[in-house]
Amino acid sequence: MGTKKKSSNFLIQGSILAAASMISRMIGLIYRIPLTAIIGDIGNDYYGTAMEVYSLLLLISSYSLPLAVSKLVSTRVAKGQRKNAYRIFKGALLFAFLSGTAAGLLVFFGARSITNLLQTPLSIFALQVLAPTLLVVAVLGVIRGFFQGMGTMMPSAVSQLLEQIVNAIVSIWIAYKLYDYGARISAVLGSSSHYGEAYGAAGATAGTGAGALFALLFVLFVLCSYQPVYRRMMKRDFSRQRESYGTVFKILILTIIPVLLSTTVYNISAIIDQGIFKNITAVLGYETVASSTMWGVFQGKYKTLTNVPIALASALAASSVPSIATAFASEDMRLVRRKIYSAIRFSMVVAIPCAVGMAVLAGPLIELLFPAKGAAGTEANQLAARLLQVGAVSIIFYSVSTLSNAILQGINRMKIPVYNALAALILHILLLLGLLYGLDLNIYGVVLANAFFSLLMCILNGAAIRKYARYRQEIVRTFLIPAISSAFMGGAVYGVYRLMMNVLEKNVAATVVSVIVGILVYGIFMLLLRGLNEADLRAFPGGGLLVRIAKGLHLLKK
């Protein structure tokens, strides 16, 4: 009974963070619509370049900290060592301050060299604006990791939402103001330079910093409110073992380095892809504007859409690490395997229909979210739709690979994702070079190479989990039933969209109705084929209401 309760709590906590991440990504998707209208595809290139460099340095300086802190705190709390858990937290805060400051200085003073290397010199403004944010996010991540290690996802979930809301408002406002300023500079210079787009992108990155700062203030308030409760818990800690801060730093570094290496290698492909793409297209004779537009479409439209469902896997990964680590520390391998199964299946229930839906409605979704301006805008949107059709399957691969990285970290096999990511990255680069230089597939080559990289990570990580956790992945309920249900959903979505367009000739109405019908059809087939049961539905946000609806429609037994 206790095991079932723990497993249920894991799914509930995971679903809270997953729901917050999904809503956060949806807000991110929504605000990218007016942002793209302001700065355009070239501005998206500058913004995307700055964000990719920022994300990589964030990984190196602080992204591994929340995962490490949540894992280390949860294992000590499980042993009743509350004082040691708090020492881990304080040591990690100091580490975050030092690493965040170093990363911020590197970005600010090295921005020119970095952006020149990536063949996008005008993204320097956006990148320098992001420099202070690295310190803010480093500290924010440690506090989130502490709460996750304590078994509550609410502070992380709420702070994510607040961060994204502030980010959206500030980004759009400052981007609009600075785009206007930059456009006047270009007009005075009388050149064809894109200072409007460059300054607009800098305004957008200012929103990232404002959102992170607001989220930090929120979690600090929660932490201060929680201090009296935690102090009482520490008074009841009668364990004799006390870890010195020297030991804490050693443990942190030993835990962080494997996580850091795996996440860096896993995510550095985006920077490498851009460097290779920009330089090879220049060698092949592509105009700078053409290359910049293609990369802007890839970053601002294709990746913005595909990252929404992938956020679910990231959220489940964050909630899985402390939960699986606790079960592993207790040597309860049956519970470990149950948690692995629940996390992967929960992820696939969402990722597979999202991949199918985005492939089927690629054109309508792009047209709905990013209305075209003129012939160039229409051509860019057609490119975005084709990229989405080609690369939608990578949503599934990235969801599994992201989650499997976290699972391996949770069972103390932290070096394995490093080796797997390194092997996949080398093969990815070789394939990308062939697709770009040999076959001249331009931006399509990047999409295909990304899908290949994530597929390799799925295969390699899956083999490692099978070996070290003695886990065999269940196929029918995890993959086959969601795939069959998604196929019926895809057919229904396509048919409804065509019918609505023939009757109304309004893309907005046709797309919205098609999506609603798709969700209903998918849910009905998942219940009819027993891909979901009552316990599964209750794990979703609003699960009680979903169960009542399903029973009312006789899709579940009363």
Side-chain angles (χ1 to χ4, degrees), residues 282-492:
V283 169
L284 293 175
Y286 284 76
E287 292 183 0
T288 304
V289 172
S291 296
S292 188
T293 300
M294 279 191 283
W295 194 260
V297 168
F298 171 72
Q299 279 281 3
K301 296 175 181 175
Y302 169 78
K303 286 191 77 173
T304 298
L305 276 169
T306 55
N307 278 342
V308 173
I310 293 172
L312 172 71
S314 299
L316 280 173
S319 64
S320 295
V321 170
S323 178
I324 291 173
T326 301
F328 187 76
S330 303
E331 299 183 356
D332 189 346
M333 291 307 296
R334 181 176 294 182
L335 181 58
V336 168
R337 287 190 285 271
R338 185 177 294 133
K339 288 180 182 294
I340 292 172
Y341 168 69
S342 298
I344 293 176
R345 195 166 76 83
F346 193 79
S347 177
M348 290 301 96
V349 164
V350 176
I352 293 174
C354 282
V356 173
M358 285 192 180
V360 172
L361 287 178
L365 282 172
I366 294 293
E367 186 182 338
L368 172 67
L369 298 172
F370 306 102
K373 292 181 180 178
T378 301
E379 188 177 338
N381 277 0
Q382 288 172 348
L383 172 62
R386 290 193 294 270
L387 293 181
L388 203 52
Q389 288 169 339
V390 170
V393 69
S394 65
I395 292 171
I396 301 170
F397 300 152
Y398 269 111
S399 295
V400 175
S401 58
T402 301
L403 197 51
S404 58
N405 272 349
I407 290 167
L408 287 168
Q409 289 158 11
I411 61 172
N412 273 343
R413 297 291 173 177
M414 292 180 287
K415 293 181 181 178
I416 302 298
V418 180
Y419 301 141
N420 291 347
L422 190 59
L425 181 63
I426 292 168
L427 293 172
H428 161 82
I429 291 171
L430 292 174
L431 177 63
L432 181 60
L433 289 169
L435 294 173
L436 291 178
Y437 195 75
L439 299 178
D440 191 15
L441 289 183
N442 55 67
I443 199 67
Y444 294 100
V446 178
V447 171
L448 291 170
N450 271 284
F452 175 73
F453 172 78
S454 55
L455 175 60
L456 274 180
M457 285 297 296
C458 290
I459 295 169
L460 295 172
N461 282 355
I465 292 170
R466 188 162 56 248
K467 178 180 178 181
Y468 295 110
R470 299 190 299 280
Y471 173 79
R472 289 199 167 274
Q473 181 60 52
E474 186 275 337
I475 301 297
V476 175
R477 292 190 73 209
T478 306
F479 298 106
L480 189 58
I481 292 177
I484 293 170
S485 302
S486 296
F488 281 106
M489 178 206 74

Side-chain angles (χ1 to χ4, degrees), residues 67-230:
L67 286 172
V69 170
S70 67
K71 179 184 175 183
L72 294 172
V73 167
S74 66
T75 53
R76 278 150 186 78
V77 168
K79 295 174 184 176
Q81 299 175 5
R82 301 273 180 179
K83 291 178 181 177
N84 283 337
Y86 198 66
R87 281 173 176 255
I88 292 286
F89 170 58
K90 289 195 289 187
L93 277 179
L94 178 59
F95 191 97
F97 182 80
L98 295 174
S99 62
T101 301
L105 291 172
L106 176 64
V107 162
F108 188 81
F109 292 107
R112 187 173 300 279
S113 300
I114 295 168
T115 53
N116 284 339
L117 183 65
L118 294 172
Q119 297 285 319
T120 319
L122 282 179
S123 61
I124 182 174
F125 309 117
L127 186 55
Q128 285 182 323
V129 167
L130 281 169
T133 312
L134 286 160
L135 173 59
V136 174
V137 175
V139 176
L140 172 63
V142 170
I143 300 174
R144 283 173 171 170
F146 174 70
F147 280 116
Q148 288 168 17
M150 293 295 295
T152 174
M153 304 296 162
M154 286 305 293
S156 296
V158 175
S159 66
Q160 275 187 19
L161 292 175
L162 292 173
E163 179 180 0
Q164 195 63 280
I165 290 167
V166 173
N167 178 17
I169 294 168
V170 175
S171 291
I172 294 167
W173 179 60
I174 300 184
Y176 177 77
K177 294 291 184 182
L178 289 185
Y179 180 89
D180 211 33
Y181 175 74
R184 289 200 300 270
I185 292 175
S186 290
V188 170
L189 293 174
S191 64
S192 58
S193 57
H194 298 278
Y195 278 97
E197 290 87 344
Y199 278 86
T205 56
T208 303
L213 181 60
F214 195 87
L216 176 60
L217 293 173
F218 171 78
V219 294
L220 282 172
F221 171 76
V222 175
L223 182 65
C224 290
S225 303
Y226 184 64
Q227 284 288 329
V229 176
Y230 196 79

Side-chain angles (χ1 to χ4, degrees), residues 11 345-346 477 530-540 543:
L11 268 182
R345 195 166 76 83
F346 193 79
R477 292 190 73 209
R530 302 293 183 262
L532 290 172
N533 56 33
E534 183 173 337
D536 295 328
L537 285 182
R538 289 192 183 279
F540 284 93

